[in-house]
């Protein structure tokens, strides 16, 4: 490693994420001592959470910057250069959304996941205070960007050739633009939640919600695929569901983190819903959006989780039939409600055994869903060339299933020119494994043409 400056951008959500960063910090400490790296700094949630400990353990660090301090980085670096001391800013903000920061579209940009997709951050922070979660403590209060600046950023990427926009936030569908009076013709809405869901915090009124934003983005770019992550189930109101159902360019693959299927555990997690409320929401979504794929996050071995609780989670997984489930062993985080009031009493091996069982179970529904696509036509956005063979491309369908297809002229002859990264392709699915679909190109296409 040889660099003038290295910044580590960090996550604090689970202990193992942090362990990796400690390891990297030691490496950078050595690199600075040997002269290979001149300066190094720690940014993001771990910086927010552990500033004092980092200063104690890694005293040669130059800069520590929390998630709301990125505008101050030049100043922090200048102070560090002038004084030779650590420069630290971990103040959280009530209104920082970086809404005027536009990222250049180039393949190495952190905002652009590939040449085809771009993340657009629309909210920051989280007010939910789920009892296990550090995010509200490291990211601060929830705040949203204005619709105008979001539309401007989306246009910036679309003009540069991006074909998929992923709206991003810690609690993305709780988006609310409170300064939104200026959007002509838009009525102020009352803040609503999905039926059967509640919050610990008091709901505000007024402002413009996620349904309106989603509708505006989808209408502005009918040939750009739109996804969003990470949502909370409470904010899938009937209005949001209706907008997703109505627009062919909003992907019909939704993330709906359930965390547990046990009412007692959900209560201790302070999630604000029961298993029945969650299942009823899934039913409403499936009725309004036929074939919609649903994904989820689960935590295994949360404080006091019994075998019976775990069975409830297995039952939920079975009933919903997820395409993808991200399953984590509970990792106690300091400063959270659970840290102060509950006991991390499930042994690690039990956590892992439950995690393995859940993984095996969801993979069955995942495989069933993959098999069900064989013989169908799917609209793929081509994301890249396979590392294994230059003749193979890969892309994703609406549900976000990965599809590998041979790089050759289309069946209908629409592509004498070969298919390339960034194209939408109408493909026939001819086979699958448990994680990938296999496709053959039928025609080059677009969202509007495919669904016409
Ligand atoms: N331990 C384990 N998993 C956690 N998550 C959040 N906090 C913790 C924790 N303390 C998981 C949740 C969340 C995902 C992003 O990370 O499932 O949805
Ligand atoms: Fe954490 Fe998500 Fe709960 Fe917010 S909604 S506290 S980010 S798990």
């Amino acid at each position: 490693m040889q660099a003038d400056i290295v910044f580590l951008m960090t996550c604090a959500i689970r202990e193992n994420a942090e362990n990796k960063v400690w390891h990297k910090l030691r490496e950078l400490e050595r690199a600075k001592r040997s002269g290979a790296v001149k300066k190094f700094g720690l940014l993001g949630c771990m910086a927010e959470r552990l500033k004092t400990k980092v200063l104690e353990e890694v005293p040669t660090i130059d800069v520590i910057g929390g998630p709301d301090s990125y505008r101050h980085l030049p100043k922090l670096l200048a102070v560090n250069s002038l004084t030779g001391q650590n420069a630290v800013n971990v103040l959280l903000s009530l209104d920082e959304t970086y809404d005027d920061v536009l990222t250049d579209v180039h393949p190495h940009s952190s905002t652009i996941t590939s040449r085809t997709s771009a993340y657009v951050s629309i909210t920051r922070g989280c007010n939910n205070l789920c009892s296990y979660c550090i995010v509200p403590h490291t990211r601060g209060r929830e705040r949203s960007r204005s619709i105008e600046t979001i539309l401007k950023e989306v246009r910036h990427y679309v003009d540069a050739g991006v074909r998929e926009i992923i709206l991003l936030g810690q609690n993305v569908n709780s988006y609310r633009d409170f300064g939104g009076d200026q959007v002509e013709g838009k009525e102020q809405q009352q803040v609503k939640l999905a039926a059967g869901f509640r919050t610990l915090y008091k709901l505000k009124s007024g402002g413009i919600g996620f349904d309106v934003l989603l509708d505006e983005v989808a209408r502005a770019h009918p040939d750009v695929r739109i996804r969003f992550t990470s949502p909370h189930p409470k904010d899938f109101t009937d209005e949001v569901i209706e907008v997703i159902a109505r627009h062919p360019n909003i992907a019909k693959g939704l993330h709906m983190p359930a965390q547990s299927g046990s009412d007692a555990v959900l209560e201790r997690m302070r999630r604000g819903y029961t298993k029945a409320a969650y299942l009823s929401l899934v039913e409403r979504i499936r009725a309004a959006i036929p074939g919609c794929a649903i994904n989820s996050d689960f935590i295994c071995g949360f404080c006091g989780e019994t075998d019976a609780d775990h069975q409830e989670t297995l039952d939920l997984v079975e009933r919903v039939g997820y395409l993808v489930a991200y399953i984590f062993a509970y990792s106690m985080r300091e400063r959270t409600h659970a840290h102060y009031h509950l006991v991390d009493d499930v042994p690690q091996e039990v956590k892992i055994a439950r995690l393995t069982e859940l993984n095996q179970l969801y993979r069955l529904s995942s495989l069933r869903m993959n098999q069900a696509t064989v013989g169908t036509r799917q609209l793929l956005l081509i994301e890249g060339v396979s590392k294994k063979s230059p003749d193979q491309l890969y892309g994703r369908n609406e549900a976000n299933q990965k599809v590998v297809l041979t790089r050759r002229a289309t069946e209908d002859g629409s592509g004498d020119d070969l298919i390339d990264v960034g194209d939408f392709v109408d493909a026939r699915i001819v086979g699958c494994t448990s994680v990938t679909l296999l496709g053959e190109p039928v025609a080059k296409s677009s969202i509007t043409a495919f669904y016409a």
Side-chain angles (χ1 to χ4, degrees), residues 395-437:
R396 288 183 184 269
N397 66 359
E398 262 203 84
N400 218 14
Q401 286 158 296
K402 186 171 176 181
V403 185
V404 173
L405 77 169
T406 309
R407 187 178 209 164
R408 60 170 168 77
T410 51
E411 268 174 28
D412 73 340
S414 65
D416 285 342
D417 43 330
L418 295 181
I419 297 162
D420 208 349
V421 175
D423 287 339
F424 276 106
V425 175
D426 171 356
R428 179 179 298 106
I429 305 302
V430 294
C432 76
T433 68
S434 60
V435 284
T436 325
L437 309 181

Side-chain angles (χ1 to χ4, degrees), residues 52 95 124 175 185 197 245 257 281 306 308 323 394 415 431 446:
T52 321
D95 52 14
R124 290 179 74 80
Y175 174 86
F197 289 73
L281 175 63
T306 62
L323 178 63
Y394 62 88
S446 66

Side-chain angles (χ1 to χ4, degrees), residues 126 128-130 132-133 135-136 170 232 271:
C126 179
N128 286 321
L129 294 166
C130 299
Y132 51 82
C133 187
V135 168
Q170 275 83 54
H232 190 291
R271 288 288 292 176

